[in-house]
Amino acid sequence: MKIALVGNPNTGKSTLFNLLTGLNQKIGNFPGITVDKKVGFCRLESGRKAEVIDLPGTYSLYPKSKDESIVFQVLADPNNSSYPDVVVLVADATNLRRNLLLCTQVADLGIPMLLVLNMSDLAQKVGIEIDVNKLSERLGIQVVEMSARSNMGLEKLKTAIDNTSKICTQNSSVDATLFAPEAISGVKEIIKNENSYYALQVLHQHEYLTFFTPAQQEAIEHVEQSNGFVSSKIQGEETLARYRYLSTVLSNVIKDTGASRKFKVTDRLDSILTHKVWGLGIFLAILFLIFNAIFAWSSYPMDMIEGAFTWVTEVGHSKLPAGMLTDLLLDGVVAGLGGIVIFVPQIAILFAFISILEDTGYMARVTFMMDKMMRKVGLSGKSVVPMIGGLACAVPSIMAARNIESWKDRIITIMVTPLVSCSARLPVYILIISLIIPEENVFGVFNKQGLALMAMYLFGMLAAVLVAWVMKFIIKAKERSYFIMELPVYRMPRWKNVLYTVYEKSKTFIFEAGKVIIAISIVLWVMASFGPGDRFERIEQKYKPALNNPNQDQDHLQILISSEKLENSYVGILGHWIEPAIRPLGYDWKIGIALITSFAAREAFVGTMATIYSVDGGDEDTKTIRERMLVSVNSKTGLPVYTFATGISLMLFYAFAMQCMSTVAVVYRETKSWKWPLIQLGYMTALAYVASLVAYQLLS
């Protein structure tokens, strides 16, 4: 049995989807379209298994974006793999009149359906009482009250789905033939479907529907033109007719108890949190709290993870037989994986805060508050959503830009979103900050490392805004953009959902990044363990007399041999080859290797450093990678590699450089052209190089 969840944005549809399916869900794309398809499975009260499809949120069947167009495409095509047996229309019980517009449109398509009045507990709290039985009778469908956030009414919903008839019972809301009788009659003959409202929607949207043949499309186009069909005019007439119908449906159904007049918490909070001065100050304070917590709260679990991997490496070398396979496993795979796993506590804290801000309704206020500021640089408030999402990952954030109607706003948003520091940069920042910034407090409260981390995120945001301002004058478009957004009421976060988000994001970080890191670590270890010709043999011959001398420090000699072999290995030759280009930035050949591997994924920097310094060897008192990096010196100058100037230069390079193959791929997929990803790759690389060069030259 297939169930489609349909509803307006901010009605709790995704929460209901998670409640129904739990962990039993997967995300893909609708066939031929780069729009997320969320599918899950659940067991109904009767024991039947059901497939649940979460369709994108939309205010009506008339699409304003690519995501919204999916809803009608799925509901209009019985041959679509997502075509449902039952539609569950999720409505916000606190704003029923507006939500029921979509309900009446879907009902007129003739698919069996039921209505869920979500957030019914909140409706009662604000003084709204709904006569469910009367509403059900007038609509001709089952109506279920529930609260997905509170896990209230789930069993009733499952029972109602079981009891939904395969025969449509819903009442017709409007007579579609009143709007364009001749055109509808002509389309019915072409598509062989007698549903008048279905034919009307085909007239509106046929150019987006891929399941009609070219001959049918041409015939529909002819009917549209010959009958003078004006889509925008008829949409307006239909909407007015539906609201007149809803006035009769909702008569004596909704009762205001008066409690809403006392419920002004949201308004009072908004007057402060969205204030043009205090609101921005509070937002910056929240950002500082997040970045301070990332360092302060994660230090203990990070030390434990670091110690565990160090112990595994030591025990492995002492227990396993010496040889190439042991070195590959411990100095390649384990070292590379350890360089990633150690940052899971910070990733978890970051996503926990983002999830809480979204769940409470505060993130929507941030987008509203930033709209006026964004317009001055050529963007709209809708651009803030992908940019804030970029704190997690640029890939889904760029895909989220589809909801921006203006082509110019959408392109600029796509071009600047990767400048916002994503979670993949977090391990790089944390590692470098721990090397160059002392773990001290300012005024006894503010953590210096937390302040440095916040500064890096603000640099990324500022760069995105400045680049958007420049592109505002370069990219030309005639259309004007607009920003319409519904602000949800403030709610307590759902801690179960927060934990689920943290678990999912941390797991994705480990497994998705981990696969890349392990692959790169193995390749790096091989390249670092072998060299061309007889270079390694000549190095061993060079140190052979000293090794046979019992008065020499044998441990120190082994470190010298390992370092010299690394410089003469394939990876050392590669690093030295690019060193002249990066030396003005303060980087040595080892950092150069990390820059190359980071083009697969930014977080590969950490795994690369871990692998290189494991192969390079280290003093017995400095067993961890961070400690080895801290005491490393430039072989030519004899000075420390990771000075303050080098560290700042390196963080700025990673803040601005386009080092993510996945982002390049998704920009190509979203723009359907190599022009934009190549421009993006070029300007970001140039920006990163210049910023790093200036920073290093000034600070050194």
Side-chain angles (χ1 to χ4, degrees):
M1 183 180 188
K2 287 186 180 177
I3 302 164
L5 299 184
V6 179
N8 291 182
N10 296 321
T11 55
K13 185 167 55 66
S14 295
T15 304
L16 178 58
F17 175 76
N18 290 335
L19 186 63
L20 280 167
T21 60
L23 296 174
N24 193 12
Q25 56 182 254
K26 58 185 179 182
I27 297 176
N29 279 342
F30 288 97
I33 308 163
T34 55
V35 174
D36 280 351
K37 177 183 180 181
K38 292 173 68 178
V39 178
F41 300 90
C42 73
R43 190 73 63 179
L44 301 176
E45 293 297 292
S46 63
R48 276 197 301 174
K49 189 178 182 182
E51 180 181 330
V52 185
I53 301 114
D54 184 15
L55 293 178
T58 180
Y59 288 105
S60 80
L61 287 183
Y62 297 114
K64 297 290 188 295
S65 67
K66 189 185 289 186
D67 279 20
E68 291 184 357
S69 70
I70 293 299
V71 178
F72 183 69
Q73 289 192 50
V74 168
L75 300 182
D77 182 13
N79 296 318
N80 192 298
S81 60
S82 301
Y83 186 80
D85 299 304
V86 176
V87 171
V88 174
L89 198 297
V90 184
D92 177 358
T94 65
N95 201 340
L96 191 55
R97 181 182 172 84
R98 193 206 62 219
N99 281 239
L100 286 185
L101 173 68
L102 177 63
C103 177
T104 61
Q105 289 179 324
V106 174
D108 285 350
L109 290 178
I111 305 172
M113 66 181 294
L114 61 89
L115 175 65
V116 169
L117 300 182
N118 196 23
M119 309 183 203
S120 55
D121 55 341
L122 186 62
Q124 292 173 6
K125 192 173 182 181
V126 299
I128 298 173
E129 286 185 3
I130 300 172
D131 190 331
V132 175
N133 294 329
K134 191 177 287 186
L135 181 62
S136 175
E137 181 184 340
R138 290 179 180 177
L139 293 175
I141 57 176
Q142 296 180 87
V143 179
V144 178
E145 282 189 297
M146 69 177 300
S147 173
R149 289 175 63 91
S150 307
N151 199 5
M152 183 189 83
L154 182 62
E155 292 74 20
K156 284 197 296 183
L157 173 60
K158 288 183 175 181
T159 302
I161 293 171
D162 262 328
N163 295 334
T164 301
S165 170
K166 291 184 178 179
I167 301 169
C168 298
T169 60
Q170 53 262 39
N171 299 325
S172 179
S173 50
V174 296
D175 182 1
T177 57
L178 295 175
F179 305 113
E182 292 83 5
I184 288 173
S185 177
V187 169
K188 281 182 181 179
E189 292 182 16
I190 297 167
I191 64 175
K192 308 302 180 189
N193 190 312
E194 289 303 311
N195 186 309
S196 296
Y197 185 63
Y198 180 91
L200 178 63
Q201 281 289 354
V202 167
L203 278 163
H204 286 300
Q205 303 189 48
H206 64 89
E207 61 267 27
Y208 303 113
L209 305 177
T210 56
F211 50 85
F212 290 129
T213 65
Q216 286 177 312
Q217 288 280 14
E218 191 176 335
I220 295 167
E221 189 77 30
H222 176 72
V223 168
E224 187 179 15
Q225 292 175 357
S226 61
N227 287 281
F229 184 83
V230 182
S231 181
S232 57
K233 179 186 174 186
I234 291 174
Q235 281 185 36
E237 291 175 357
E238 182 205 327
T239 302
L240 289 172
R242 289 190 182 279
Y243 275 121
R244 283 195 294 271
Y245 167 75
L246 288 174
S247 294
T248 61
V249 168
L250 296 176
S251 176
N252 300 321
V253 167
I254 301 176
K255 180 183 177 184
D256 186 353
T257 63
S260 58
R261 286 186 287 275
K262 303 173 186 175
F263 195 78
K264 297 293 183 182
V265 175
T266 291
D267 291 339
R268 287 198 294 270
L269 284 173
D270 276 347
S271 66
I272 301 169
L273 295 178
T274 61
H275 190 273
K276 60 183 179 181
V277 177
W278 309 123
L280 190 60
I282 291 169
F283 178 52
L284 291 175
I286 290 172
L287 284 180
F288 171 71
L289 172 65
I290 293 171
F291 298 127
N292 201 59
I294 286 173
F295 271 100
W297 299 355
S298 63
S299 58
Y300 184 69
M302 278 187 73
D303 290 342
M304 288 181 62
I305 294 169
E306 191 173 52
F309 273 91
T310 302
W311 178 81
V312 167
T313 304
E314 288 177 351
V315 171
H317 276 299
S318 63
K319 300 292 184 183
L320 295 174
M324 190 179 296
L325 193 60
T326 297
D327 290 341
L328 170 62
L329 177 65
L330 298 176
D331 298 334
V333 176
V334 173
L337 192 59
I340 283 297
V341 175
I342 190 172
F343 295 104
V344 168
Q346 278 107 344
I347 297 293
I349 291 169
L350 176 65
F351 280 113
F353 273 107
I354 290 175
S355 179
I356 290 168
L357 293 179
E358 288 177 343
D359 226 26
T360 54
Y362 178 71
M363 199 65 88
R365 269 76 186 175
V366 173
T367 63
F368 164 74
M369 188 171 54
M370 300 291 284
D371 177 55
K372 190 173 288 187
M373 192 183 300
M374 289 292 102
R375 289 195 175 280
K376 291 178 181 177
V377 298
L379 298 172
S380 76
K382 285 191 176 181
S383 304
V384 179
V385 178
M387 289 174 71
I388 290 178
L391 291 170
C393 180
V395 172
S397 301
I398 287 169
M399 293 170 68
R402 296 188 204 112
N403 288 325
I404 302 172
E405 291 81 6
S406 166
W407 173 84
K408 180 178 178 178
D409 287 2
R410 182 167 175 260
I411 287 294
I412 295 177
T413 303
I414 288 172
M415 295 297 282
V416 303
T417 293
L419 286 169
V420 178
S421 291
C422 63
S423 59
R425 291 178 172 107
L426 185 61
V428 182
Y429 292 160
I430 290 170
L431 178 62
I432 298 170
I433 287 172
S434 68
L435 295 175
I436 65 170
I437 306 292
E439 193 174 351
E440 300 171 354
N441 287 343
V442 180
F443 304 120
V445 177
F446 305 117
N447 185 290
K448 279 187 178 180
Q449 294 181 335
L451 287 170
L453 182 61
M454 180 179 175
M456 293 311 303
Y457 275 81
L458 291 178
F459 278 139
M461 292 274 194
L462 181 62
V465 170
L466 291 175
V467 171
W469 180 73
V470 173
M471 288 186 173
K472 168 186 173 181
F473 300 102
I474 297 173
I475 300 174
K476 304 296 181 183
K478 294 180 180 178
E479 60 192 340
R480 289 180 63 85
S481 63
Y482 58 90
F483 177 45
I484 301 172
M485 184 177 194
E486 179 187 359
L487 295 181
V489 296
Y490 291 103
R491 304 184 184 97
M492 282 295 293
R494 295 155 291 179
W495 299 110
K496 183 178 179 182
N497 272 22
V498 171
L499 291 173
Y500 175 71
T501 300
V502 170
Y503 166 75
E504 278 294 308
K505 299 298 183 182
S506 300
K507 185 180 76 171
T508 301
F509 178 74
I510 292 173
F511 287 98
E512 294 302 318
K515 286 186 288 189
V516 176
I517 298 305
I518 289 175
I520 290 174
S521 296
I522 291 172
V523 171
L524 278 176
W525 181 87
V526 172
M527 291 180 69
S529 300
F530 299 94
D534 61 347
R535 293 190 182 197
F536 280 20
E537 287 79 2
R538 291 207 303 268
I539 292 169
E540 288 174 358
Q541 289 297 323
K542 173 184 172 182
Y543 286 96
K544 191 172 183 180
L547 287 170
N548 292 329
N549 185 347
N551 296 322
Q552 292 281 348
D553 185 341
Q554 299 296 311
D555 290 335
H556 182 65
L557 285 173
Q558 289 297 337
I559 292 170
L560 292 175
I561 293 170
S562 296
S563 297
E564 204 162 322
K565 280 186 176 180
L566 183 61
E567 285 203 50
N568 285 274
S569 67
Y570 290 109
V571 78
I573 293 168
L574 177 64
H576 283 295
W577 180 69
I578 70 163
E579 192 174 23
I582 60 173
R583 194 180 297 125
L585 311 183
Y587 310 158
D588 67 354
W589 61 274
K590 293 178 185 176
I591 296 175
I593 297 164
L595 294 181
I596 293 171
T597 59
S598 293
F599 276 96
R602 293 180 182 98
E603 60 269 41
F605 172 86
V606 179
T608 300
M609 290 288 100
T611 303
I612 287 174
Y613 280 96
S614 291
V615 173
D616 193 17
D619 188 80
E620 60 181 357
D621 295 325
T622 55
K623 297 184 178 68
T624 69
I625 301 303
R626 279 190 291 181
E627 289 171 335
R628 289 180 182 177
M629 291 175 69
L630 195 60
V631 298
S632 64
V633 294
N634 190 301
S635 58
K636 293 182 179 178
T637 64
L639 299 173
V641 173
Y642 295 96
T643 62
F644 180 78
T646 303
I648 296 298
S649 170
L650 194 52
M651 285 197 292
L652 286 174
F653 190 92
Y654 273 88
F656 299 143
M658 170 64 106
Q659 290 170 298
C660 181
M661 291 189 298
S662 300
T663 305
V664 174
V666 81
V667 171
Y668 165 72
R669 191 173 70 171
E670 291 297 305
T671 60
K672 300 293 189 293
S673 168
W674 278 111
K675 170 187 171 182
W676 297 108
L678 289 176
I679 291 173
Q680 192 175 49
L681 181 64
Y683 96 76
M684 289 184 69
T685 304
L687 181 63
Y689 192 92
V690 171
S692 302
L693 178 66
V694 171
Y696 180 73
Q697 296 300 326
L698 287 177
L699 295 173
S700 60

